[in-house]
Amino acid sequence: MPSATTPTMSAGPRRAALTDPGYQAFFILRTGFTVAPILFGLDKFANLLVDWPTYLAPWINDVVPGSAQAAMYAVGVIEIVAGLVVALAPRFGGWLVAGWLAGIIINLLTIPGHYDIALRDFGLLLGAVALARLAQRYHGKEQPH
C-alpha cells in the first residue's frame, strides 16, 4: 500500500508522462544541462577539449587572482555544481545555468574573434531558460497534464 509520503505512479500514467512532448523536452533539456556542465567543468582541469584559459578575457584575467588556468579551475567547480543543481532542482538549476551563460557571453563578447561562440552560448542560454520554465510546469507532478 503506498504511503502518503511516497507517491507512486503506475505503468499507465508513467507511460503517458513519457509520451507527452512537453515532458520529453523537459527530460532532454534536464539531461543535457546536467551532463554538459559537469563534463565541461571536469575538462577545465584537463584541457582535453580545448585550451580553456584562452577563452578568458584579458580584463577578467587581470582582476581575478592567480593565473588564467587557476581561474578555469574555479570555473570548472562552478560548472560541476551547476550541473548537479540542474539534476537535483532543475527549476533553480535552469536559471543558474542561464545566468552563468550570460556571464560567459559577456566574457566572450570582449574577446575579438569569439563572437560565434558567444552566439552559440546565447542559444544555450535560451535552452536553459526553457528548461527552467518546463521544470516549473512539471515540478512535483507525477504525470504531465
Side-chain angles (χ1 to χ4, degrees), residues 18-101:
L18 294 176
T19 60
D20 173 39
Y23 187 79
Q24 290 172 355
F26 165 68
F27 183 78
I28 290 166
L29 289 169
R30 184 179 190 177
T31 302
F33 282 108
T34 294
V35 173
I38 291 171
L39 290 179
F40 289 136
L42 289 171
D43 194 56
K44 299 300 189 288
F45 295 90
N47 290 311
L48 296 174
L49 297 173
V50 69
D51 183 23
W52 291 107
T54 62
Y55 289 91
L56 186 64
W59 70 270
I60 294 176
N61 192 33
D62 291 342
V63 297
V64 298
S67 66
Q69 183 58 58
M72 286 299 121
Y73 294 148
V75 167
V77 170
I78 292 167
E79 289 176 347
I80 292 166
V81 168
L84 294 172
V85 172
V86 168
L88 300 172
R91 288 185 310 152
F92 305 110
W95 292 115
L96 175 63
V97 170
W100 184 249
L101 284 164

Side-chain angles (χ1 to χ4, degrees), residues 81-136:
V81 168
L84 294 172
V85 172
V86 168
L88 300 172
R91 288 185 310 152
F92 305 110
W95 292 115
L96 175 63
V97 170
W100 184 249
L101 284 164
I104 291 171
I105 291 166
I106 291 167
N107 169 72
L108 290 170
L109 288 174
T110 64
I111 306 171
H114 287 76
Y115 306 128
D116 56 334
I117 300 169
L119 180 60
R120 180 215 51 206
D121 284 354
F122 180 71
L124 289 171
L125 182 148
L126 295 176
V129 169
L131 168 64
R133 297 302 298 139
L134 286 166
Q136 184 69 37

